[in-house]
Amino acid sequence: MYKNQSIHYLNNGEIDLKNSSFFSLEIPDTMVVGKNVGKVLSYNSNYSSDEYYLSDYHFLTVIVENEYENGLIKKDTFSDGTFTPSFGIFARKKGYQTVRGRIMEEIVYDIPSDSSVVVKEHFKYFEKDVFVQKPT
């Protein structure tokens, strides 16, 4: 399930990329106990700088709520400077598990009139039920 997405269509049926904000992930349905890998396959943003800003820079970070020993839940963060980073998923024990996380898009705007910057954050949320088995 992906929350906080919007997809708009043009009259010809194609996706209006300028006005749409969405993503797709690759998270395996079956994982093994221990470390697993997910990936952002695509990310489309409709957030950009206003005309009076000189430029903007987008940064994407995936934050995953991983559960470790003794029920410790840690928010692990992953970023590689692209809009398609890989991220780690820790499976603590066999059985069903829900993978939860969010994608944080940070937009840094340069303001040429006073040499300062503005940072805006936008979040999209995801969760997926998976089955965890012992490593083979």
Side-chain angles (χ1 to χ4, degrees):
M1 175 182 293
Y2 304 145
K3 300 176 183 178
N4 298 63
Q5 297 192 87
S6 61
I7 300 176
H8 299 271
Y9 292 91
L10 300 170
N11 288 338
N12 64 4
E14 292 182 18
I15 295 175
D16 180 358
L17 294 175
K18 182 180 176 184
N19 292 308
S20 296
S21 182
F22 60 91
F23 64 95
S24 65
L25 302 176
E26 180 180 273
I27 297 176
D29 292 328
T30 303
M31 297 186 180
V32 296
V33 172
K35 297 178 182 177
N36 298 271
V37 177
K39 182 166 179 60
V40 177
L41 295 176
S42 65
Y43 187 90
N44 187 78
S45 176
N46 61 355
Y47 297 95
S48 63
S49 63
D50 296 323
E51 290 181 19
Y52 58 88
Y53 291 123
L54 181 63
S55 60
D56 63 3
Y57 305 95
H58 291 250
F59 300 96
L60 207 64
T61 302
V62 179
I63 303 162
V64 180
E65 296 177 11
N66 282 318
E67 183 177 352
Y68 295 95
E69 296 300 319
N70 301 322
L72 173 68
I73 296 177
K74 184 177 175 186
K75 293 182 180 179
D76 294 322
T77 59
F78 304 89
S79 183
D80 65 4
T82 71
F83 269 30
T84 56
S86 295
F87 55 93
I89 303 165
F90 189 80
R92 189 172 69 83
K93 61 184 180 180
K94 291 184 346 177
Y96 289 97
Q97 174 177 322
T98 301
V99 176
R100 288 184 179 88
R102 60 186 170 159
I103 299 174
M104 177 176 68
E105 179 183 3
E106 289 180 294
I107 305 112
V108 179
Y109 302 103
D110 289 332
I111 302 174
S113 60
D114 62 5
S115 300
S116 62
V117 296
V118 173
V119 178
K120 293 185 179 181
E121 294 177 343
H122 176 73
F123 293 93
K124 292 186 174 63
Y125 300 88
F126 63 89
E127 63 181 41
K128 181 176 180 179
D129 292 328
V130 299
F131 181 76
V132 179
Q133 61 187 14
K134 283 187 178 181
T136 56

